[in-house]
């Protein structure tokens, strides 16, 4: 599978190419349409087709899915989205994470832009970012 884009920069997945037109799929909606080949640029090693296909999922959800390796790490993000900000002491007391595991997850989530440092009752803590809150809300809606 290849990717193509039109003059406005919109990316599509190439479904079928013929002489005059090509059937393309919009990765965000899944809708297919025929577009004239003259209006398309066929990408060579630009973006991997599977990365383009992932655009069907909102950016905040993609970021959470990429960063949360298991249910426990996803649960930490959900808890901070629901209850945050929480101090590191509160996080260690409330959940079954050792300090090194917690610090590792917090560092990964901060690097991904999912958590921000916060001061809670005069102690160092963390809070979910708006991206995380939107992603959690979106994931809950999909049930």
């Amino acid at each position: 599978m290849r990717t193509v884009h039109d003059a406005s920069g919109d990316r599509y997945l190439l479904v079928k190419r013929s002489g005059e037109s090509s059937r393309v799929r919009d990765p965000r909606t899944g809708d297919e349409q025929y577009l004239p080949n003259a209006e398309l640029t066929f990408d060579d090693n630009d973006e991997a087709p599977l990365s383009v296909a992932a655009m069907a999922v909102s950016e905040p959800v993609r970021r959470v899915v990429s960063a949360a390796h298991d249910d426990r790490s996803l649960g930490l993000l959900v808890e901070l989205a629901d209850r945050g900000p929480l101090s590191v002491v509160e996080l260690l007391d409330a959940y079954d994470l050792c300090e090194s595991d917690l610090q590792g997850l917090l560092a990964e989530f901060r690097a991904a832009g999912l958590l921000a440092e916060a001061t809670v009752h005069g102690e160092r803590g963390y809070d979910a970012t708006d991206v995380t809150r939107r992603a959690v809300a979106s994931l809950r809606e999909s049930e």
Side-chain angles (χ1 to χ4, degrees):
M1 184 172 279
R2 293 180 65 191
T3 60
V4 297
H5 65 274
D6 63 16
S8 66
D10 292 333
R11 297 227 178 266
Y12 300 96
L13 295 169
L14 179 64
V15 176
K16 183 178 180 180
R17 184 176 182 179
S18 61
E20 297 295 318
S21 64
S22 293
R23 191 169 78 199
V24 296
R25 181 172 49 245
D26 184 333
R28 289 180 173 86
T29 64
D31 294 338
E32 292 186 6
Q33 62 180 320
Y34 282 92
L35 294 175
N37 288 339
E39 294 179 12
L40 296 174
T41 300
F42 294 82
D43 300 331
D44 291 319
N45 300 325
D46 188 22
E47 270 192 277
L50 292 177
S51 295
V52 173
M55 293 167 59
V57 177
S58 72
E59 190 279 331
V61 171
R62 286 195 319 267
R63 197 181 308 182
V64 165
V65 167
S66 295
H69 307 290
D70 53 26
D71 286 348
R72 189 168 76 163
S73 57
L74 178 59
L76 179 60
L77 287 173
V78 170
E79 284 292 292
L80 283 161
D82 289 348
R83 299 181 51 217
L86 296 171
S87 71
V88 172
V89 172
E90 289 173 304
L91 291 169
L92 286 169
D93 286 344
Y95 307 113
D96 62 340
L97 293 166
C98 69
E99 188 171 356
S100 63
D101 287 348
L102 176 63
Q103 292 299 338
L105 287 172
L106 294 172
E108 285 183 53
F109 294 154
R110 280 186 57 225
L114 299 171
L115 296 182
E117 286 189 21
T119 302
V120 182
H121 310 299
E123 298 176 351
R124 192 180 82 206
Y126 294 90
D127 196 11
T129 62
D130 289 337
V131 169
T132 302
R133 286 189 175 87
R134 287 196 319 265
V136 168
S138 181
L139 289 167
R140 283 182 168 141
E141 289 174 5
S142 65
E143 288 185 45

